[in-house]
Amino acid sequence: MATTNNITTFITTKLKSTHHIQLIHMFNSVMGIILFGLLIGVATSIRSFVSNGAQLAGFGNYNVFAYPASYVYMLIPSICSLVYSIILAFDPSPSYPAWYPSKTFLSSIALFAGALFLAALFPAVPGGDMITNPDSALSCTWVDYMEWRTIYNNEDIFPWVTGMDIACQTLHAADAFCWIITIGWFILLGLYIYRIKVSKMNNYNNEKTMGASRNNNKESTGSSWPMEEIKTTTDTKTEVST
């Protein structure tokens, strides 16, 4: 029990000391892992359906299936964004007040946000895939591939026949998670832009303060010389008079 409390305290302390930008990257990393697992689940369910259907139909090892293009497109940026999110989650740079993102870094964040936005949008666009035209990929018109779902529509005898339905439901869930990650990346983009503005404003204020401080030092240094001259003159007169 004490060990559990220590672990909980350690995690809580770590989270409090972690910058909120890093926390969002951590959240995106977790969502990205779930999204990747869902997309792999879609491919696994489709492969099971096609392999079993091909064997029963007498096609042997025929397991070719033209995946929706929007599915493939969602898979690529989701993997890339997952890797990038994990890297940035361990980057402590946002914790330093003087740090602000470069233009190249900001462009990469905008690129990932845009790519994930399109990845989440394309499956819902009618005609976005050749195999589902004029419907969208999320309409799941591809579930009755080779009409095997209709021919072998008996779950008790052919339990694999529900594979395409499971793949369709999983693709819907994957698209929802893709939207969540997309929102997270756009929030990060806004935070990074805000960080640039704040950093530039702070730098401007610091330079202004330092400039005023230099001017004050110059004025104080310049005003001390006449007083010393007067003091020296007075001392000289005193010596002569004595």
Side-chain angles (χ1 to χ4, degrees):
M1 188 67 180
T3 306
T4 306
N5 291 334
N6 291 335
I7 294 173
T8 305
T9 304
F10 175 76
I11 294 173
T12 305
T13 305
K14 269 290 185 184
L15 290 176
K16 286 182 179 179
S17 62
T18 304
H19 197 272
H20 59 273
I21 289 179
Q22 289 179 267
L23 293 176
I24 297 176
H25 281 300
M26 290 179 186
F27 175 79
N28 278 350
S29 300
V30 174
M31 294 296 103
I33 292 172
I34 296 173
L35 174 59
F36 179 70
L38 289 171
L39 292 174
I40 295 300
V42 172
T44 302
S45 298
I46 291 175
R47 185 177 179 82
S48 174
F49 178 88
V50 173
S51 297
N52 286 282
Q55 290 179 1
L56 287 176
F59 295 143
N61 294 326
Y62 177 84
N63 56 6
V64 178
F65 177 78
Y67 288 87
S70 57
Y71 164 81
V72 178
Y73 180 77
M74 186 186 295
L75 181 63
I76 296 171
S78 65
I79 295 174
C80 296
S81 66
L82 172 60
V83 175
Y84 202 27
S85 293
I86 293 173
I87 294 172
L88 294 177
F90 292 97
D91 181 18
S93 297
S95 301
Y96 300 101
W99 177 87
Y100 63 91
S102 63
K103 291 182 180 179
T104 303
F105 178 78
L106 193 64
S107 299
S108 68
I109 299 296
L111 178 65
F112 273 98
L116 288 166
F117 173 75
L118 294 177
L121 180 65
F122 281 159
V125 175
D129 287 297
M130 291 295 294
I131 65 171
T132 62
N133 192 33
D135 299 317
S136 65
L138 293 180
S139 64
C140 297
T141 55
W142 40 271
V143 296
D144 199 12
Y145 180 67
M146 301 289 284
E147 297 185 357
W148 291 336
R149 184 168 170 270
T150 303
I151 296 171
Y152 304 108
N153 192 19
N154 191 327
E155 297 180 20
D156 296 330
I157 301 175
F158 310 109
W160 53 266
V161 79
T162 60
M164 282 298 197
D165 294 322
I166 295 172
C168 175
Q169 295 170 5
T170 308
L171 183 61
H172 276 83
D175 188 62
F177 274 92
C178 192
W179 277 114
I180 294 172
I181 297 172
T182 301
I183 293 171
W185 278 94
F186 274 107
I187 291 173
L188 286 168
L189 180 61
L191 289 174
Y192 281 124
I193 292 173
Y194 176 74
R195 183 63 179 266
I196 291 175
K197 292 182 178 180
V198 170
S199 297
K200 287 184 176 180
M201 184 62 67
N202 290 337
N203 291 337
Y204 173 76
N205 291 334
N206 290 336
E207 290 176 0
K208 192 175 179 181
T209 304
M210 290 176 66
S213 178
R214 290 195 196 100
N215 291 334
N216 291 334
N217 290 335
K218 288 180 181 179
E219 290 176 1
S220 61
T221 304
S223 62
S224 66
W225 285 105
M227 294 299 294
E228 293 204 7
E229 288 180 0
I230 293 170
K231 183 179 179 183
T232 304
T233 306
T234 305
D235 293 341
T236 305
K237 288 180 181 181
T238 305
E239 290 177 3
V240 172
S241 61
T242 55

